[in-house]
Amino acid sequence: METLCAELIAVGTELLLGSIANTDAQFLSRELAGLGISVERHTAVGDDPQRLREAVEAARARCSILITTGGLGPTFDDLTKQVVCRVFDRPLTLRPEVEETIEGIYRDILHRPMPESDRLQALLPEGAELFPNHAGTAPGFAFCSGGVHVLMLPGPPEECRSVWEHGAREYLRRLSPGVICSRDIMSFGMGESSVEFLLHEKMCRMVNPSLATYAKPSEVCLRATARANTAQEADALLDPVEAEVRAALGDLVYGVDVSGLTELCLQRLKARGLTLACAESCTGGLIAQRITALPGASAVFRGGVVSYWSSVKAGVLGVDPALLETHGAVSAPVAEAMAKGARAITGADLAVSVTGVAGPDSDERGNPVGRVFVALADETGGVYCRHLELGRRSRELIRDEAANHALDLLRRHLDGLPMELTVPELKKG
Ligand code: ATP
């Protein structure tokens, strides 16, 4: 099956000055990968007709899909349409339906007359297919010339997304016959660069299905995407890819097509009819927040205690003051006692706890930034603790990673896996 290849050209001097990041390219690349379209180049050019022309001419010779973002507005520096149409020798013609839509936005929403300059936005390449913009005035559009599909989208991210969702995606989907299916293989315990290192050769070799990594805070998603005539054929292509990823990453793979560890834990708890509680120090309620953000949390989540001060660890969770005195608040015995305490006071089947130093400074006992203990108290009265040295990362990342480790303990317990996190040896494959 032929693979379509795309190039993106972002237009805007702000991109070159570093005033804004090219988030449209990030969004579109991800979406295109999901459609099985390979993105071969990103270019950013300023509001300069000559350089834009050169970029468009070069891209036209290389790709079958050219997508531009930005420069569709009514101001003097919005010149993408004019330049692209000149390169593809396509006249611009006034589209009365677009003119009427823009006039309507001014009349009914903005309550002022439409500036004459806005009429420029109703000039579209002859024969172009329109993509409505529900977040602004300039619509997106596409045309095909000499075997190249040209899509032009507005720059503001919410407008780019709106136009994508209201026509551009469908336009591209029509170009690829059959179905496109993807599978998100979720892993925790190894950074994105290590996962890529392990799977590098497979990822480079694979075209259909393709395999790409997406990093989430302290998790890595591997997305396998297959193009085939039917969903069954696509599934048959994806099965061996999933098996290869599982073979390489072992039990670091925690699920497929789930949004994250929190959702997975919630599903598992529900399926087993178990309830959960938590006791959090340095994560300050992050675990409770994540769980309660998901619909259906009330069926399994009994509650949580944010026990920041030692007096709360002792007074509310019942942590023995002698333990706090001897080992300090950031220690394995205290993490274990916090988890047991949360379980005891809520009556939940399981409880997780977190205590650690999120930074920016080490604590009064000299525990370094990033030292964290997470624990799980289980339904048999047993308790397991994991000691982490997360290093000098940002406070936010340490808290996020700590919460994920606590959830990782939970899912390992629920799935009957070893509680230790064993990272595969870094060998290319
Ligand atoms: P407008 O109708 O608002 O003029 P436009 O399509 O002409 O839209 P630009 O004028 O090029 O878009 O950019 C408008 C704003 O959109 C920029 O100031 C910037 O904030 C945002 N923007 C443009 N391009 C990108 C991009 N590639 N990634 C993220 N944001 C972008």
Side-chain angles (χ1 to χ4, degrees):
M1 200 166 282
E2 186 209 355
T3 307
L4 296 162
C5 76
E7 289 200 20
L8 308 185
I9 299 180
V11 187
T13 303
E14 289 156 296
L15 292 160
L16 300 184
L17 293 174
S19 317
I20 55 166
N22 192 357
T23 55
D24 288 347
Q26 182 188 29
F27 166 72
L28 291 169
S29 293
R30 205 165 270 196
E31 291 287 319
L32 288 161
L35 292 177
I37 296 171
S38 128
V39 176
E40 311 225 313
R41 203 176 291 238
H42 286 179
T43 308
V45 285
D47 302 312
D48 175 292
Q50 181 54 31
R51 277 194 274 275
L52 176 57
R53 188 190 173 101
E54 286 164 14
V56 174
E57 276 171 350
R60 174 166 82 154
R62 292 185 295 244
C63 66
S64 46
I65 297 168
L66 168 61
I67 304 181
T68 67
T69 54
L72 294 188
T75 54
F76 73 95
D77 58 353
D78 290 325
L79 38 80
T80 314
K81 240 174 357 192
Q82 287 76 359
V83 171
V84 172
C85 285
R86 230 175 290 134
V87 172
F88 284 90
D89 202 16
R90 196 147 278 224
L92 284 164
T93 54
L94 188 79
R95 294 280 284 263
E97 73 273 37
V98 179
E99 198 178 21
E100 167 50 28
T101 306
I102 300 172
E103 274 171 351
I105 293 173
Y106 275 93
R107 187 182 55 239
D108 305 332
I109 301 171
L110 302 172
H111 304 295
R112 56 189 165 93
M114 181 178 87
E116 223 14 66
S117 58
D118 265 54
R119 216 172 293 282
L120 285 178
Q121 295 179 115
L123 282 178
L124 297 196
E126 203 169 73
E129 182 171 329
L130 259 183
F131 311 137
N133 177 352
H134 294 296
T137 50
F141 47 85
F143 62 88
C144 183
S145 173
V148 181
H149 293 273
V150 182
L151 285 84
M152 300 180 64
L153 313 180
E158 64 288 359
E159 298 189 30
C160 180
R161 191 176 282 261
S162 169
V163 162
W164 175 257
E165 277 162 12
H166 294 99
R169 176 169 42 206
E170 198 39 49
Y171 180 95
L172 293 175
R173 205 191 290 280
R174 284 201 309 264
L175 299 182
S176 27
V179 296
I180 290 160
C181 298
S182 47
R183 230 175 250 186
D184 284 354
I185 307 163
M186 305 296 291
S187 72
F188 172 74
M190 217 177 183
E192 189 184 20
S193 52
S194 303
V195 170
E196 272 192 359
F197 184 86
L198 268 181
L199 294 166
H200 180 77
E201 276 159 36
K202 286 187 186 65
M203 287 166 68
C204 292
R205 177 165 37 85
M206 285 182 192
V207 179
N208 187 30
S210 61
L211 184 64
T213 58
Y214 300 101
K216 302 172 127 213
S218 83
E219 298 186 42
V220 179
C221 165
L222 282 132
R223 180 172 295 163
T225 305
R227 188 135 46 98
N229 292 317
T230 63
Q232 287 87 333
E233 277 179 32
D235 265 342
L237 289 171
L238 292 170
D239 286 341
V241 179
E242 183 182 329
E244 281 196 68
V245 172
R246 285 184 183 275
L249 298 184
D251 66 14
L252 301 191
V253 172
Y254 65 80
V256 172
D257 291 336
V258 280
S259 65
L261 273 168
T262 319
E263 186 191 332
L264 180 100
C265 287
L266 193 68
Q267 285 176 1
R268 295 281 195 274
L269 288 165
K270 266 191 197 160
R272 302 267 300 272
L274 294 171
T275 55
L276 177 72
C278 60
E280 302 184 64
S281 190
C282 65
T283 45
L286 191 56
I287 299 175
Q289 189 277 330
R290 284 212 206 148
I291 293 171
T292 53
L294 296 175
S298 57
V300 298
F301 187 61
R302 289 223 169 168
V305 176
V306 178
S307 52
Y308 225 50
W309 276 29
S310 289
S311 56
V312 181
K313 292 183 178 76
V316 179
L317 293 170
V319 176
D320 183 351
L323 275 186
L324 286 158
E325 186 54 40
T326 314
H327 302 281
V330 178
S331 64
V334 168
E336 290 174 1
M338 285 168 65
K340 281 184 168 176
R343 191 170 164 260
I345 62 171
T346 59
D349 299 299
L350 303 164
V352 289
S353 68
V354 186
T355 177
V357 186
D361 303 313
S362 48
D363 73 358
E364 66 289 347
R365 289 200 178 227
N367 285 303
V369 174
R371 176 167 295 165
V372 177
F373 295 87
V374 294
L376 170 89
D378 68 25
E379 59 277 60
T380 68
V383 65
Y384 179 87
C385 182
R386 185 182 287 172
H387 174 167
L388 306 166
E389 294 291 344
L390 299 174
R392 288 200 73 87
R393 315 171 188 210
S394 72
R395 194 171 161 82
E396 194 187 350
L397 271 183
I398 289 174
R399 283 156 45 91
D400 223 85
E401 180 110 12
N404 269 347
H405 274 281
L407 293 167
D408 185 58
L409 287 187
L410 183 60
R411 73 105 187 170
R412 282 173 179 276
H413 174 77
L414 292 167
D415 285 350
L417 293 169
M419 297 301 273
E420 297 82 37
L421 202 159
T422 311
V423 175
E425 197 187 327
L426 283 186
K427 274 190 304 196
K428 272 198 181 184

